[in-house]
């Protein structure tokens, strides 16, 4: 089999990922793996295998549990704190307020996800550092 045949089949599967649940693609993945194994060129075979892995990665997002209410609240706070409108001083104040809110959310969250929630503060801190005027 040549790589171009595989690529056509791969693209059809990849383009339809958004339209179906992950379980729908099990037969397609088996078929693509079989096709990839039959590719003569080792380089093209490796490329095909990597492309199949990409599909598997995308489909694995369906298997992840939904976000907890605390995580959803923290993501929203982070988005508000990371908004790009306003003066640098307004943006710094908004980011600092978001960091404080995220801290409160983490304190009340399930212990298993507290660290993940608090990790959102790192990017806000970096934003604040980038927006603060340089001391002369």
């Amino acid at each position: 089999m040549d790589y171009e045949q595989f690529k056509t089949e791969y693209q059809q599967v990849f383009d339809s990922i958004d339209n179906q649940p992950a379980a729908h693609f099990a037969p397609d993945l088996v078929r693509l793996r079989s096709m990839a194994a039959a590719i003569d060129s080792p380089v093209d075979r490796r490329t095909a295998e990597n492309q199949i892995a990409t599909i598997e990665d995308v489909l694995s997002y369906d298997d992840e549990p939904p976000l907890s209410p605390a995580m959803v609240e923290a993501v929203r706070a982070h988005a508000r704190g990371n908004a790009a409108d306003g003066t640098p001083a307004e943006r710094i104040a908004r980011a600092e307020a978001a960091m404080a809110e995220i801290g409160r959310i983490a304190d009340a969250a399930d212990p298993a996800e507290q660290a993940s929630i608090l990790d959102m503060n790192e990017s806000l801190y970096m934003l604040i550092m980038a927006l603060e005027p340089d001391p002369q």
Side-chain angles (χ1 to χ4, degrees), residues 10 29 33 47-59:
Y10 162 83
L29 290 172
R33 281 189 204 99
T47 300
E49 290 166 352
N50 289 339
Q51 289 175 310
I52 293 168
T54 298
I55 288 178
E56 291 170 334
D57 286 346
V58 171
L59 293 175

Side-chain angles (χ1 to χ4, degrees), residues 7 23 34 61 69 78 80 90 92 134:
K7 189 175 171 184
S34 174
Y61 291 125
H78 183 273
R80 286 190 301 272
E90 292 169 336
I92 289 170
D134 289 329

Side-chain angles (χ1 to χ4, degrees), residues 78 95 98-100 102-103 117-126:
H78 183 273
M99 287 178 69
I102 289 169
I117 291 172
L118 285 173
D119 282 347
M120 291 184 206
N121 277 343
E122 183 177 353
S123 63
L124 292 173
Y125 175 77
M126 293 178 73

Side-chain angles (χ1 to χ4, degrees), residues 20-128:
Q20 300 289 333
H24 172 81
F25 294 97
D28 292 316
L29 290 172
V30 169
R31 182 173 50 83
L32 288 174
R33 281 189 204 99
S34 174
M35 291 173 72
I39 295 174
D40 295 326
S41 164
V43 172
D44 288 342
R45 188 177 329 113
R46 174 65 56 114
T47 300
E49 290 166 352
N50 289 339
Q51 289 175 310
I52 293 168
T54 298
I55 288 178
E56 291 170 334
D57 286 346
V58 171
L59 293 175
S60 73
Y61 291 125
D62 278 0
D63 298 335
E64 293 181 11
L67 296 177
S68 70
M71 187 61 79
V72 169
E73 191 178 349
V75 167
R76 287 183 181 146
H78 183 273
R80 286 190 301 272
N82 200 35
D85 59 316
T87 66
E90 292 169 336
R91 292 181 68 194
I92 289 170
R94 196 170 42 239
E96 288 172 341
M99 287 178 69
E101 184 177 355
I102 289 169
R104 286 189 299 276
I105 293 166
D107 287 343
D110 183 273
E113 67 180 354
Q114 287 177 340
S116 295
I117 291 172
L118 285 173
D119 282 347
M120 291 184 206
N121 277 343
E122 183 177 353
S123 63
L124 292 173
Y125 175 77
M126 293 178 73
L127 174 64
I128 291 168

